[in-house]
Every structure is written in C-alpha cells, then in structure tokens.
Amino acid sequence: MDNIEKLDKVTVKFAGDSGDGVQIMGEQFGNVTAVVGNDFATLPDYPAEIRAPQGTTYGVSSYQIQFAAYDIYTPGDNPDVLVAFNPAALKVNLPTLKPGGIIIANEDEFTEQNLRKAGFESNPLEDGSLNSYRTYRVPITRLTLEALKEEPIGHREKLRCKNFFALGMISWLFSRPLDPIISFINKRFASKPEILGANLKALKAGYNICDTMEIFPVHYQVPPARLEPGKYRNINGALATAYGLVVASYKSGLPIVYCGYPITPASEVLHILSALKHYGVISIQTEDEIAAITMAIGASYAGALGITGTSGPGLALKIESLNLAVMAEIPLVVFDYQRSGISTGMPTKTEQGDLLFALFGRPSDSHVIILAPCSPSDCFWTAIEAVKLATKYMTPVLVLSDQFLIHSSEPWKLPELENIPNIEIEFRKNPEGFYPYIRDEKTLARPWVKVGTPGLEHRIGGLEKSHIYGNVSYDPENHDLMTKLRAQKVQRAVQDIPDVQIMGPSDGEILVVGWGSTYGHIKAAVELANSEGMKVSMIHLRHLNPLPKNLGEVLRKFKKVVVPELNLGQLSYVIRARYLVDAIGYNRVTGKPFNVSELLSFIKEEYKGLKTH
C-alpha cells in the first residue's frame, strides 16, 4: 500500500544547465498543478549568458514553484525540494534549501570534472556535507538511456529526454497526473514522431520507476485550494499582457500595431503577439528602438493602437520620440519590462529601478500617465487600462512591468468577455468648428483625427503649437500655457483612478506601501505580521502618475510609513517630496524578488522601534 503524506504547502525547485530543459519541466509541472486545483506561484531564473560553459555555476537555469491548498502570493522563499541535474545546480541552490529539505540529485553528473567546474573539492554526495538533508541519489541519465535503449533516435536526443524522466518522478512524488504533460508532448513534438515517442516513454518510465525501484519511501498529496468558482488557466505576465492588448483591440474596435526591437525580457511579448495575427494584431520587429517607437507613433497618428515595448536600456533610446508623442498629444502605450541595471546590468534578473526615470527622465516638463501591474494576471487588466487612458486623454501611457512579472505564472480565472467594458473611441469627422488643439472640457484631450479625413487637415509635431489653432508658435505665454495644459491633462486622469484601498486596519501603527511586482511578497509578510499580533496595514499602488487622490490622506493616518522596493528608494523619495511624509525605505537590488521572511523581519524591527518610543 502506498505511503501517502498530506501537505498544505510545498516549494519545489528544478535546477540544471540551460540545455537540461529545466524551464520546460517547471512550466509543465505548473500546468499540472493548475489542473489539480492548487493555488501556485512560480519563479523562473535564467542565466544571462546564451551559451555558458556546460557544468559551470554561471550557466545554471532554475524554476521554482510554490503550490498550496490555500491562497498564496509568492513562489516561496526557500524550496522544500531541490532537483539538481548537476553539481553546479546543487552548488548555486543549496544555500536556499530549507534545513532538512529533500535533494534529488542526478548522480551520473557528479563526475570529477563536473565537481571541479562547480568548485567542489570533494563529492558532496559522498563526503557527508549533505547529512542534514534528505538526499536521494538517482542515476537519472543512465535510467533514461536504459528506458530508451530500443528507441530509434541518437544518443544525444536520448539524453535530452532526461528532463521528462525527472518530471515523471516528481509527478509521482507529488501525486500529479501525467495526462496534461502527455497532451503537451503530443502537441509539442507532433511533427517529430520519434522524438515524441521517446519523451513519452521517458516520462512514463520516470513515473513508474518510483514504484518499481521504491526510490522514495513516501509520496505527497496537496489538496486543491478553495479557489473562486470559474474556469482557470496557468498564465504568465507576458501572455497576460498580450491577451490584454488583444482584448483592448476588440473592445475599442481598433487594430493593434505593436512595434519592438528584441531585448530581454520584452522579446517574449513580441513573440506572442506575432502569433496572434488572426486577431488583427500587427507586430513589427524593427531595426532599433527608435524605429519601434516612431512606427508606433505613426500607427496612432493613422488611427490604430500604437504600442511598443522594451526594457530600461531601450527606454533610454526611445525618450526623444516619447517626448514627440507628448508634444503631439498622440495616444501611445509604452511597456517598460524592467530588468536589473544599470547599462546592460543583469538582463535576466528583475528590478524596479525605472520609476524615477519614468516620472522625470525626459527633457523639459514632460508628463505621462504611469501604471504598474502587481501580478502576472494583473498584466492583463493593466494593458486594457493603459489603452483606455491613452486614447481617452490623448497622451502616452508608460507601463512599468518587470522581468519577474513577465516570466512568473499563477492561476488565472478567465474573465467573461462581455463583462469587460468597451473602450469608447471617437474620431473627429466633422470639419465644422475644427481646430487641432481645441480641448474636451473634462479631459483636456485634443481631438483624434485619422490622417486623410476630408476637411480635417492639420499640423502636429515636435515644435510648439499655438493653443487651439495648432500653428507653429514661439510665443512665450503660449508655450507656458500649452506646457501647463499638457501637464494638467495627465493629472485629470485622476478622475479615472480609484481611491487607494487599505488592506488591514484603516489607521494606526504601520502602513506598508508598495508598487508593482512586490505585491505578493508584501501581502504575505503583512498577513504574517498581523497573525503575530502586530497592527500592520498595506496599500499597493497601480497608478503612479497621477497618484490616487486620497493617497496623502491615507498616509497621514499612520504613525509610520514603510516602503519596500527593489531599488534604492524611488517611491519613498516621491512620497517624501509630494506629501512631506517621512517614508522609510527597505531597499535592495540583488536581481531577485524579496523574501517574505526578510520583509517580515523588517516590519518587526520597525514595529519594535515604534513601541519603544
């Protein structure tokens, strides 16, 4: 009889060389986890080097997933289980493994040469250094080759199947069904029947061998979470962003023209949209960042949804053209998928370093609307809102996403399309009384005119224009007026921004303020703090310019305001300057998300200091 142990929460990490198929393993384990109804969150981690030397620590790729029988918000601080395909994977990830955690090591790769590459002086599987962990030495490579000895493919192709062998083992260990993975393999390798058959055989062999060889003394079950009723799917931020733009196109009746130059991590959104031509998406890979944004501006001038995406280094190159869109008052959406800087920095790591750049990093008084999604699925809703605000206020909207959001995934309840409001678009068609810079009294937006509309010929561009009439103007008072109108127009968007909502007590001790992808980690830490008897609240800002109109009032209700950010204190700087509140920052830039435990420790220290004064 099977020895089954029930758990309420588990964190698993797969790690190996870039060529070991670790990301596919993680993604498919996440898909199966979605099927069985657990709540989960993931953290893929890639090496920056495209072809790092095999077996080295800087070539290690990993995928972490936390899944549970209740709501969770993060991919977990420390894994309970580490699947290490080689010594380098063990070396890099062992420091994060929980004490007493499980190590499943591919002992075939623990050769003298690989141990030396990873920096081990002796074999950790034999020298007793892993005695504090539950270590299972499994000859994954040899078992895979043995299972596939009759398959009509080459040795190298057989070796590539070991990720599915290992996935079969982990599926058995955590009582996951194989059917979703089998469906994926059938679809992925449909054009290569021999490779398809080998991967299926490896998957099933890994699953079955856990019974025949009795590798593990126990396997585990995590009951389904009590999720809100509905249809769910596994989604990451890149896919959610792309789907949000497609829905925005449908709800506005306008085609998408997404222009981008390949740059990590923005490229993934461009790849996804390029496969959605049947939804009216026009995706253009340009020769550089400047071409990408100017093409998007041209698309908006012609009456389409002009959209571009990049990361920090690319945004720097787009700035002159972004200011052209501000001056011409063209609707434009720019996604900045932030990564670790500065310069090229650490392109496969995450950061929140571009907030001040987004707010102030342009010549002269140039104002844009700024949004920031807080989770992978929130990328869907933020994309729709960005299009709505850009078209309503005739101005660029800058969306600060980041590498963590783009690649991490979670369960997403599919929305009912008919429940998503339409985006009302009104092109000016009547030439009577038309001037290019007459403004809507409520929004201060100028009219949107499609190029070529009879009788509505007009001039826009980078030179200052006269109020209402749109003639080139060098008049000082006119320039002062137009600059103020463009700034006021962005601030008018506050009427479409909901008041910030306090999670926890409405006033009192400590308020934790966050923005962007730190949401889940802050929420988990605040909930733990309150469970320990502290009186801690949180707010999370999706709208960074303009800020919610009640933000100042909320900040002043608390004795202490703390702001965790993956930068050196950018939002806390804004809060101090805008509201004269002594916001206390908790800041680091390691290229990784916060751990919940470190945020909890920070909150405890601030709470302790509050009580001793």
Side-chain angles (χ1 to χ4, degrees), residues 190-360:
S191 62
K192 300 177 180 179
E194 293 179 347
I195 301 296
L196 186 156
N199 278 304
L200 284 178
K201 195 168 185 178
L203 175 73
K204 294 173 183 177
Y207 189 93
N208 294 329
I209 210 164
C210 293
D211 277 327
T212 57
M213 292 184 64
E214 297 183 351
I215 294 174
F216 306 107
V218 63
H219 60 148
Y220 303 96
Q221 285 184 349
V222 179
R226 294 181 179 178
L227 300 175
E228 183 182 342
K231 188 175 183 180
Y232 286 80
R233 64 156 296 162
N234 178 12
I235 200 165
N236 64 22
L239 200 57
T241 299
Y243 286 174
L245 291 176
V246 171
V247 170
S249 173
Y250 175 76
K251 290 294 181 176
S252 65
L254 301 179
I256 289 174
V257 181
Y258 187 99
C259 310
Y261 177 73
I263 184 170
T264 303
S267 300
E268 188 168 344
V269 177
L270 180 61
H271 296 162
I272 295 168
L273 286 170
S274 67
L276 299 176
K277 297 181 180 69
H278 52 294
Y279 290 107
V281 176
I282 300 170
S283 57
I284 303 172
Q285 180 177 317
T286 61
E287 66 270 27
D288 57 38
E289 296 283 2
I290 298 171
I293 189 170
T294 51
M295 281 187 184
I297 290 171
S300 289
Y301 184 50
L305 295 177
I307 302 166
T308 187
T310 187
S311 61
L315 184 61
L317 295 171
K318 293 181 186 291
I319 289 304
E320 183 179 2
S321 297
L322 182 57
N323 254 7
L324 170 61
V326 172
M327 175 64 90
E329 301 190 44
I330 288 285
L332 175 73
V333 179
V334 180
F335 288 91
D336 175 13
Y337 308 104
Q338 300 165 99
R339 70 189 203 189
S340 288
I342 56 175
S343 188
T344 309
M346 300 192 296
T348 61
K349 309 303 177 185
T350 199
E351 200 167 285
Q352 293 181 297
D354 297 350
L355 176 57
L356 293 183
F357 184 32
L359 284 166
F360 309 120

